[in-house]
Amino acid sequence: MEKQFQLSAYDYPLPEENIAQHPADCRDQSRLLVLDCVADSMAHRRFADITELLRPGDLLVVNNSRVFPARMFGRKESGGKVELLLLHYPETREAPAGGAHLHAAEVLALLKSSKRPKPGSSLFFGQKLQATVLELFPDGKVRLDLHFSLPQGQNLADLLARHGQMPLPPYIKRPQGTTGGDFERYQTRFAAHTGSVAAPTAGLHFSDELLATIRNREVTLATVTLHVGYGTFAPVRSDNILEHRIHAEYIEVSTETALAMNRAREEGRRVWAVGTTTARALEYCADVQGKVAPFRGACDLYIVPGYRFRVVDNLVTNFHLPQSSLLFLVSALAGRERILAAYARAIELGYRFYSYGDAMAILTRPR
């Protein structure tokens, strides 16, 4: 087996102190490691300096998915505590006429409790929100039917905001969701369409002021939607990474964005993807000639070394977990050895890793 396909080839040591527990004081003041794949060089900047890398005519594409408060704490009928992580945004339906609840929604979730509840039992998350357990799975997942009532003018998002917490990843080892800032800082400034259970974290570095500066430099902004699912972070268990299967996630690439992409490529302008989620959405919708078509549906594109990028020139991204599918993707763009060397240097210089950490700009077309 080639080394680039061996899971062990994507391991690296990371001291715990390099794992960011809080966001930077200001969004655009996180650090930025600039990795120039043409010159095979590294530079170290502040994220706000990305304006010096962008030039008029560049197309900057961002993921406008919005994270919802997917972590919920409640109790079982017995009174025992239960924790849920909803794995997708519930789709609301009207409850049957004459029912005790106005609305219902079926959802898949991860469940934690001292003793697993039985199918048919109820879980309670406040006066207006409860769930019935429909099915238990061996991997800790459960299928639930949520029941809730809503005051006039409110929707499910309002209810989850009251009863849920932001789904910060487990490597953030502080009380999850209790810091008031998490509801604002674990959300990008262009978040618009609710559906993610984790933030598209590369976008967290853009402040309103920075976005205004970028627009003033005649850089075109476009959006895609990819709702980040739990499967993105599922551990890779195959020694041969080609045997891993990535979970499908919902994406939407609009006609407007497809036209902007195709126009930029026809005119020889550079395309920047903000985040691996954006890169996957764009690449999934591009044909072998690099023409992007509008699309709405499931995306299961799995990018590993050997993949030839069709439309993405440069990538803004965070630092990713060892042996993760996201690390495979950036290695496919920049080269595994170059990425691991950059990570080693970042650790040496005290960069902050993962969701609330610092950023990289990977340039395959620096000029």
Side-chain angles (χ1 to χ4, degrees):
M1 188 197 313
E2 292 183 46
K3 190 168 186 177
Q4 65 176 348
F5 301 133
Q6 295 174 10
L7 181 62
S8 59
Y10 295 89
D11 200 7
Y12 66 89
L14 180 68
E16 192 167 332
E17 57 265 28
N18 286 86
I19 300 174
Q21 299 298 307
H22 298 271
D25 290 340
C26 300
R27 287 179 182 268
D28 57 19
Q29 290 304 304
S30 52
R31 298 174 72 180
L32 178 69
L33 190 156
V34 182
L35 183 61
D36 186 330
C37 298
V38 176
D40 198 18
S41 65
M42 281 182 266
H44 306 282
R45 314 288 288 271
R46 287 290 167 186
F47 193 84
D49 297 335
I50 198 169
T51 55
E52 299 175 19
L53 303 177
L54 296 165
R55 67 185 185 208
D58 282 355
L59 178 61
L60 185 72
V61 189
V62 302
N63 183 1
N64 64 11
S65 182
R66 185 174 185 83
V67 185
F68 68 96
R71 179 170 280 111
M72 299 165 56
F73 295 88
R75 61 177 178 84
K76 297 180 287 187
E77 293 177 10
S78 64
K81 294 180 180 179
V82 65
E83 177 184 345
L84 286 183
L85 176 64
L86 305 183
L87 298 183
H88 60 85
Y89 190 74
E91 294 205 10
T92 305
R93 68 181 189 275
E94 294 296 320
H101 304 278
L102 296 178
H103 302 278
E106 192 171 298
V107 68
L108 195 67
L110 286 174
L111 182 146
K112 288 183 182 179
S113 66
S114 56
K115 186 177 180 181
R116 301 191 80 190
K118 295 179 180 179
S121 62
S122 296
L123 309 175
F124 301 92
F125 303 93
Q127 291 183 344
K128 296 183 178 180
L129 178 61
Q130 68 182 68
T132 300
V133 178
L134 300 178
E135 188 175 4
L136 300 172
F137 300 97
D139 57 0
K141 294 188 182 74
V142 295
R143 190 164 59 90
L144 303 168
D145 208 22
L146 300 179
H147 309 282
F148 50 94
S149 59
L150 294 172
Q152 190 170 2
Q154 292 193 8
N155 56 30
L156 179 58
D158 299 316
L159 192 63
L160 292 177
R162 287 200 302 274
H163 295 286
Q165 295 183 0
M166 292 302 274
L168 301 185
Y171 48 73
I172 296 181
K173 296 179 179 178
R174 59 174 168 82
Q176 303 269 314
T178 58
T179 299
D182 288 330
F183 274 89
E184 191 265 334
R185 291 302 302 274
Y186 197 62
Q187 201 79 265
T188 68
R189 299 305 295 157
F190 25 80
H193 299 292
T194 300
S196 282
V197 299
T201 54
L204 296 178
H205 304 283
F206 289 85
S207 64
D208 292 335
E209 295 77 13
L210 179 58
L211 287 168
T213 300
I214 289 170
R215 289 187 177 96
N216 288 337
R217 292 181 65 88
E218 298 180 12
V219 173
T220 302
L221 265 69
T223 61
V224 300
T225 302
L226 185 148
H227 291 324
V228 185
Y230 174 77
T232 296
F233 307 99
V236 178
R237 303 190 185 282
S238 304
D239 292 334
N240 182 345
I241 66 171
L242 297 178
E243 296 175 357
H244 179 66
R245 292 293 174 265
I246 198 165
H247 291 72
E249 294 166 310
Y250 175 84
I251 68 169
E252 184 172 344
V253 175
S254 67
T255 299
E256 182 182 12
T257 293
L259 289 173
M261 287 287 300
N262 294 332
R263 191 177 304 118
R265 289 184 54 76
E266 288 166 6
E267 296 173 358
R269 295 183 280 121
R270 299 184 302 175
V271 173
W272 292 73
V274 176
T276 57
T277 57
T278 300
R280 286 181 61 232
L282 293 175
E283 293 291 321
Y284 186 79
C285 295
D287 64 18
V288 291
Q289 282 79 38
K291 185 173 182 179
V292 175
F295 180 80
R296 178 187 297 175
C299 168
D300 61 354
L301 179 62
Y302 178 38
I303 296 177
V304 299
Y307 178 86
R308 184 169 182 174
F309 283 78
R310 298 171 177 179
V311 293
V312 173
D313 297 312
N314 300 332
L315 176 67
V316 179
T317 187
N318 278 24
F319 294 90
H320 303 295
L321 276 71
Q323 300 187 350
S324 65
S325 62
L326 304 181
L327 187 57
F328 306 159
L329 187 152
V330 295
S331 297
L333 182 64
R336 183 185 63 85
E337 293 183 356
R338 185 179 287 121
I339 285 291
L340 291 179
Y343 275 39
R345 183 60 175 154
I347 292 168
E348 182 182 346
L349 293 177
Y351 276 72
R352 303 162 71 245
F353 274 53
Y354 303 164
S355 294
Y356 270 152
D358 295 314
M360 293 180 70
I362 301 175
L363 312 181
T364 67
R365 192 178 164 195
R367 295 179 178 81

